[in-house]
Amino acid sequence: MLRDIDLDKVSDGKLYSSNDMAKTDCNGCKGCSSCCRGMGSSIVLDPLDAYRLCTGLKKSFEELLSTCLELNVVDGIILPNLRMTEKEEACVFLSDGRCSIHSLRPGMCRIFPLGRFYENHSFQYFLQIHECPAPGKSKVKIRKWIDTPDIKRYETFIADWHYYLKPLQEYAMDFEHGENIPKLNMYILKQFYLKPYSKEGDFYQEFYERLLTAKDFLLG
């Protein structure tokens, strides 16, 4: 999340909003599952991703960790990511070349081959030109491509989560604070992932209540 991006090298040089059109539609992939393989630990889950998987698969976060998720350090902070199979380095949810949890897929999967460029406490999308090998992609409105209800609320959540984590990651990467990092990591995991969200409630409302508590806790 803290890595600098040279847009000239990875994109078409443009920045997009969710109301823009971009060449993202690979026409159903047609048997290609390239973006579901060899991703290592890069498909990092935000709290909404974890909530969708827990509610959609009817499993607790702990159960998912034992089967399809794992924890890795992302710029100093421990966060969950989708697990890849050991033999084929394929996403554990890839079945016969197709995503078996397509309606529940994480945000990073939803936007691919787009990426997010964060600036001024917000973000815009950019088109990654070297990541998807499918030829002849067609243009589609980005908000349709992302396929997420209440897109503006979702994008606000994405930006707020990023800018909440960013100073914590900078703090965690400062070796002077080494003895505090395990406590910080455990708090983030418990507050935003391990503690169940209400299945019938408003995820965003509950997330922001937790975010406010977390900010007060860390300031204290």
Side-chain angles (χ1 to χ4, degrees):
M1 288 187 176
L2 300 182
R3 298 175 183 84
D4 292 327
I5 298 174
D6 187 339
L7 291 177
D8 291 332
K9 292 183 178 180
V10 302
S11 77
D12 60 2
K14 301 176 183 177
L15 291 174
Y16 300 87
S17 77
S18 57
N19 286 318
D20 290 328
M21 305 278 285
K23 286 188 176 183
T24 57
D25 192 348
C26 50
N27 303 305
C29 295
K30 296 181 179 177
C32 174
S33 56
S34 176
C35 62
C36 303
R37 301 177 185 274
M39 301 304 290
S41 59
S42 66
I43 311 301
V44 179
L45 306 186
D46 60 44
L48 177 58
D49 294 331
Y51 168 77
R52 278 174 168 158
L53 289 174
C54 289
T55 54
L57 299 177
K58 296 180 173 58
K59 292 184 178 181
S60 68
F61 185 74
E62 293 94 327
E63 289 176 302
L64 294 180
L65 278 177
S66 68
T67 56
C68 52
L69 304 183
E70 59 186 12
L71 299 176
N72 281 288
V73 177
V74 182
D75 295 317
I77 297 294
I78 295 177
L79 295 171
N81 60 265
L82 290 186
R83 183 180 295 178
M84 299 290 132
T85 59
E86 292 184 8
K87 183 177 283 188
E88 299 180 346
E89 261 296 294
C91 175
V92 294
F93 291 114
L94 188 65
S95 177
D96 296 325
R98 308 298 292 180
C99 177
S100 63
I101 57 159
H102 193 258
S103 64
L104 309 174
R105 65 198 185 282
M108 292 184 70
C109 301
R110 289 175 183 271
I111 67 173
F112 186 85
L114 297 168
R116 301 187 188 113
F117 181 77
Y118 293 90
E119 190 175 38
N120 299 325
H121 292 275
S122 185
F123 72 91
Q124 292 177 281
Y125 301 97
F126 64 92
L127 180 62
Q128 301 180 84
I129 57 176
H130 303 301
E131 299 300 320
C132 177
K137 288 186 280 293
S138 55
K139 282 189 174 183
V140 64
K141 184 167 283 194
I142 290 174
R143 65 189 305 146
K144 181 179 179 180
W145 181 249
I146 296 173
D147 185 29
T148 293
D150 202 348
I151 187 69
K152 288 304 179 185
R153 203 176 184 197
Y154 172 69
E155 290 179 330
T156 298
F157 155 75
I158 291 294
D160 288 343
W161 177 242
H162 172 83
Y163 285 105
Y164 165 70
L165 283 182
K166 186 175 180 180
L168 299 183
Q169 290 171 319
E170 292 171 344
Y171 176 90
M173 293 176 72
D174 185 339
F175 294 111
E176 292 184 5
H177 304 125
E179 70 276 7
N180 297 325
I181 306 310
K183 179 181 178 182
L184 173 62
N185 277 317
M186 185 53 64
Y187 181 81
I188 292 173
L189 287 173
K190 284 183 177 179
Q191 181 75 350
F192 295 105
Y193 294 97
L194 288 164
K195 181 181 177 182
Y197 290 82
S198 172
K199 294 180 180 179
E200 305 300 328
D202 183 331
F203 166 82
Y204 294 117
Q205 179 179 337
E206 192 168 339
F207 166 78
Y208 281 105
E209 290 171 355
R210 296 187 186 197
L211 184 63
L212 182 61
T213 300
K215 288 181 177 179
D216 289 342
F217 171 83
L218 293 172
L219 287 174

